[in-house]
Amino acid sequence: MLRKIIRIDEEKCNGCGACAAACHEGAIEMIDGKAKLTREDYCDGLGDCLPACPMNAISFEEREAPAYDEVAVLVAKVKEKSAPETLPCGCPGTQSKSIPRESCSSASVGDDSSHIESRLSQWPVQIKLVPVNAPYFDGANLLVAADCTAYAYGDFHRDFIKKRITLVGCPKLDSVDYSVKLTEIIAHNNIKSVTVVRMEVPCCGGIENAVKNALQASGKMIPWKVITISTDGKIVD
């Protein structure tokens, strides 16, 4: 049939994989360092991958292509969720794990009371990398933070990470709709609360909106709050 479908210019493609991550239907794969439309019947022609591409290598075209097969896409998603967790790009650093933390004071044993121990209780922390069904999400108080906040606010571990599962991202640099991944996490896990920590800069509103949209899409009534950090490291509201 004649329909609108995406076209990938492989000469412009830099192999970053952002389009494959943005394609919710799984129509795009990374092959030999280039993005390729491997399943035309998975492409719905809506173009969520277009704004994700930093090289403007993706465009629309109208041509003969198989019809969009929504059923096949849903079946593929079910199979993907039931498959064993895989490591993106084969990197061991993305392996999901919990990090036990003993109950202790903020100061380490010894004379140096200025040392603050890490409160991070899981890995990975990047929204794009964290698995949706990780065991540590069960009964979790979720922290969704703009990545700059940890650098701006000195007591970030003690005041925010402690006793929470931490997810970080930058809505401006990642150019990915976090609300999709966050909706899956909230919908498929027993999340008790969500705390959003963002910077005062306008672009940081993207991470707040992503959480708001995810909560609405999940259909769950979960307590949530937003904390804003100024560029000089103070809580402004």
Side-chain angles (χ1 to χ4, degrees), residues 128-144:
K128 294 193 296 183
L129 297 181
V130 69
V132 171
N133 294 314
Y136 45 69
F137 281 130
D138 185 31
N141 292 300
L142 197 63
L143 169 66
V144 182

Side-chain angles (χ1 to χ4, degrees), residues 82-160:
S82 62
E85 186 69 27
T86 58
L87 303 180
C89 304
C91 175
T94 60
Q95 179 67 57
S96 174
K97 64 179 180 180
S98 296
I99 305 173
R101 298 289 181 190
E102 295 181 4
S103 178
C104 59
S105 63
S106 61
S108 62
V109 177
D111 295 331
D112 185 8
S113 60
S114 64
H115 177 72
I116 306 296
E117 293 190 359
S118 173
R119 300 298 187 179
L120 189 65
S121 61
Q122 103 287 342
W123 187 265
V125 296
Q126 285 288 341
I127 297 174
K128 294 193 296 183
L129 297 181
V130 69
V132 171
N133 294 314
Y136 45 69
F137 281 130
D138 185 31
N141 292 300
L142 197 63
L143 169 66
V144 182
D147 49 16
C148 291
T149 56
Y151 295 93
Y153 189 77
D155 287 331
F156 193 82
H157 275 252
R158 186 187 65 185
D159 292 352
F160 299 126

Side-chain angles (χ1 to χ4, degrees), residues 173-219:
L173 298 181
D174 281 347
S175 298
V176 173
D177 184 1
Y178 290 138
S179 63
V180 175
K181 184 72 169 285
L182 292 173
T183 297
E184 292 186 73
I185 291 172
I186 294 170
H188 294 97
N189 296 281
N190 177 28
I191 303 296
K192 290 184 176 180
S193 68
V194 182
T195 299
V196 181
V197 182
R198 54 163 292 183
M199 296 299 295
E200 62 179 342
V201 296
C203 60
C204 234
I207 205 157
E208 178 180 343
N209 290 332
V211 172
K212 182 187 297 184
N213 293 336
L215 288 168
Q216 292 175 343
S218 71

